[in-house]
Amino acid sequence: MPIETAHEDMIHDAQLDYYGKRLATCSSDRSVKVFDVVDGEKQGAGYTLKGHSGPVWQVAWAHPKYGHILASCSYDGKVLIWKEQPQGSGANTSHDAAGNWSKIKEYTAHTASVNSVSWAPHELGPMVACASSDGKISVLTFQNDGQWNVDFFNGHAVGCTAVSWAPAVLPGSLIVPFTSPTNTATTTNPQSTNANTSTQAAQPTVKRFASAGCDNKVKIWVHRAQTNTWQVEDTLEGHTDWVRDVAWAPNIGLPRSYIATASQDKTVCIWTKDSPKASGWEKQTLALEGGGSKFPDVVWRVSWSTAGNILAVSCGDGKVTLWKENLKGVWECVSEMTS
C-alpha cells in the first residue's frame, strides 16, 4: 500500500519500529520523517526531523525498552540520535526539536559519508554501530552516567557500506546448556527487571557484528573482553564488486547462523555456519529462474523476516523478491513484488 511521505527527493530508507506502528523514512532532501501507521495507512502529517546537511542514507530504531529513539546517518559524515520526549516535558524548547522529537546526540568523528547505522540487540544495551566511506567503523555505547563511549577503528580500507549485528544469544545455546565461555569474546548475563524472565537473564550473550565494504569483503567483528577491543573473527570473500549490504539473520539460539550479502556484482550470497565450532562459513549464491545467479541490476538491500527464515532482496530494477530455504537446503524465490 503506497504511503505519501511528502519528501522532496529520493527516499533511501524506510523502517518500521519494533511494534510496526511507526514508520521512519529518510531522503536526499536532508530530512527524516516519522509517521504513525495503522493497518498499513499513515495517520496524520507526521514529524519532520531536520539536522543533516546532506542526503540521509539510513535510519534505525532502537529497542522500545530504551524509549522512542531513532538514529540517522548522512553524506555529511554525521550520525544523529533522536528521541521522542513525553508530552509536556518542555523538550520542544530546543531549536533541534520537531514536535515532540529532539536531537540528543550528534556524532561527527567520521571524515566522510556515514552509510549505515545499526542498533545492537537490546540484550547488549543501547549500542549503535556506524559504517563510513572513510573506512572506519564506530560503535557508540550509552553509559549509565549519561555519556557516550566510542570505539573507533579501521574497518575496510576502501570504505564501509553496511553493518549488521549478530543475535545476542550464543549459537546453539537453546539446545546446549551453557557452562562457561568457550572463547575470548565478551559474554554477559544481563540482569532482568522482571522476575518472570529469570531464564532469559541467565542466557549468555556475545557482542558480534558484520560489516560490508568496497573491498568486496564482509568482515565479522567480535568484542574481546581481555583487551576491550573489536577484532576480526572471520572474513567472507566471494563477491567480485562492492558489497552493498549485509544482514545477519535473527536466531533464538539454534546452532546454525545465516548471513546474507548483496553486491554491486548483481549477486546475493547466503553464508551459513552450522555451529560455533565449525571451521568456516559456507557460501550459497541465490539462483534465479533459468539457473543464472545474476540479478537484472545491482542488488542494494537484503533484509530478514523476524523469524529469520525468509529473505527479502531489493534490486535496482525496482523489484523485491522473497526467498526461502527448502528442505534440501536450496534457496527458492517464493514471491515477487514490483514497485
Side-chain angles (χ1 to χ4, degrees):
M1 180 176 296
I3 294 179
E4 175 55 54
T5 65
H7 277 297
E8 298 174 357
D9 209 329
M10 181 182 294
I11 298 172
H12 296 291
D13 195 20
Q15 296 289 337
L16 287 167
D17 70 355
Y18 180 84
Y19 297 111
K21 297 293 183 66
R22 282 196 155 166
L23 176 70
T25 61
C26 61
S27 165
S28 281
D29 65 8
R30 301 176 293 179
S31 72
V32 174
K33 292 180 182 286
V34 180
F35 306 97
D36 291 323
V37 177
V38 177
D39 296 330
E41 294 186 3
K42 182 183 72 171
Q43 305 294 311
Y47 297 112
T48 300
L49 314 182
K50 294 185 177 181
H52 288 291
S53 57
V56 187
W57 301 130
Q58 203 170 62
V59 288
W61 290 97
H63 191 274
K65 71 181 289 185
Y66 303 115
H68 296 147
I69 296 178
L70 185 69
S72 60
C73 64
S74 167
Y75 179 80
D76 62 11
K78 297 178 183 178
V79 175
L80 301 183
I81 310 292
W82 308 86
K83 183 175 183 179
E84 186 181 34
Q85 307 292 349
Q87 292 279 0
S89 65
N92 296 349
T93 57
S94 167
H95 70 279
D96 292 322
N100 293 319
W101 288 87
S102 62
K103 184 173 65 178
I104 61 172
K105 173 66 176 176
E106 181 172 323
Y107 179 65
T108 59
H110 289 288
T111 58
S113 171
V114 181
N115 303 312
S116 180
V117 287
S118 178
W119 289 95
H122 69 90
E123 297 94 331
L124 303 180
M127 304 172 62
V128 61
C130 320
S132 171
S133 292
D134 63 9
K136 309 287 186 182
I137 294 174
S138 297
V139 179
L140 311 181
T141 306
F142 186 72
Q143 306 292 326
N144 291 332
D145 60 2
Q147 301 299 312
W148 290 82
N149 179 67
V150 178
D151 293 317
F152 189 72
F153 50 95
N154 292 319
H156 299 260
V158 192
C160 305
T161 55
V163 284
S164 178
W165 287 86
V169 294
L170 290 170
S173 60
L174 182 68
I175 57 177
V176 178
F178 176 77
T179 54
S180 62
T182 57
N183 56 38
T184 56
T186 298
T187 57
T188 60
N189 288 302
Q191 297 300 315
S192 173
T193 57
N194 189 333
N196 295 327
T197 59
S198 58
T199 55
Q200 178 182 353
Q203 196 170 40
T205 59
V206 61
K207 296 178 181 178
R208 182 182 281 121
F209 68 87
S211 66
C214 303
D215 55 3
N216 310 344
K217 299 177 182 178
V218 171
K219 294 183 179 180
I220 297 173
W221 302 84
V222 65
H223 189 265
R224 303 296 182 185
Q226 290 82 350
T227 58
N228 194 29
T229 58
W230 291 90
Q231 297 179 8
V232 176
E233 184 180 57
D234 277 304
T235 300
L236 310 182
E237 300 184 54
H239 287 290
T240 59
D241 209 333
W242 291 12
V243 183
R244 287 291 183 181
D245 198 17
V246 58
W248 204 309
N251 190 326
I252 59 173
L254 297 176
R256 176 173 282 194
S257 299
Y258 293 86
I259 295 176
T261 56
S263 173
Q264 190 82 17
D265 65 12
K266 302 180 182 179
T267 66
V268 173
C269 294
I270 308 292
W271 308 81
T272 57
K273 194 173 186 179
D274 288 335
S275 72
K277 295 182 180 180
S279 58
W281 293 80
E282 296 182 2
K283 185 187 80 166
Q284 183 180 154
T285 303
L286 294 188
L288 304 178
E289 280 189 30
S293 62
K294 296 280 188 180
F295 280 76
D297 207 328
V298 174
V299 187
W300 289 96
R301 285 290 184 86
V302 282
S303 179
W304 293 97
S305 63
T306 304
N309 62 337
I310 296 178
L311 178 70
V313 177
S314 176
C315 184
D317 63 354
K319 293 182 180 179
V320 174
T321 51
L322 302 182
W323 298 76
K324 190 173 183 178
E325 187 179 23
N326 64 22
L327 296 177
K328 297 180 180 180
V330 178
W331 288 83
E332 300 175 326
C333 182
V334 296
S335 182
E336 180 178 298
M337 295 169 282
T338 304
S339 61

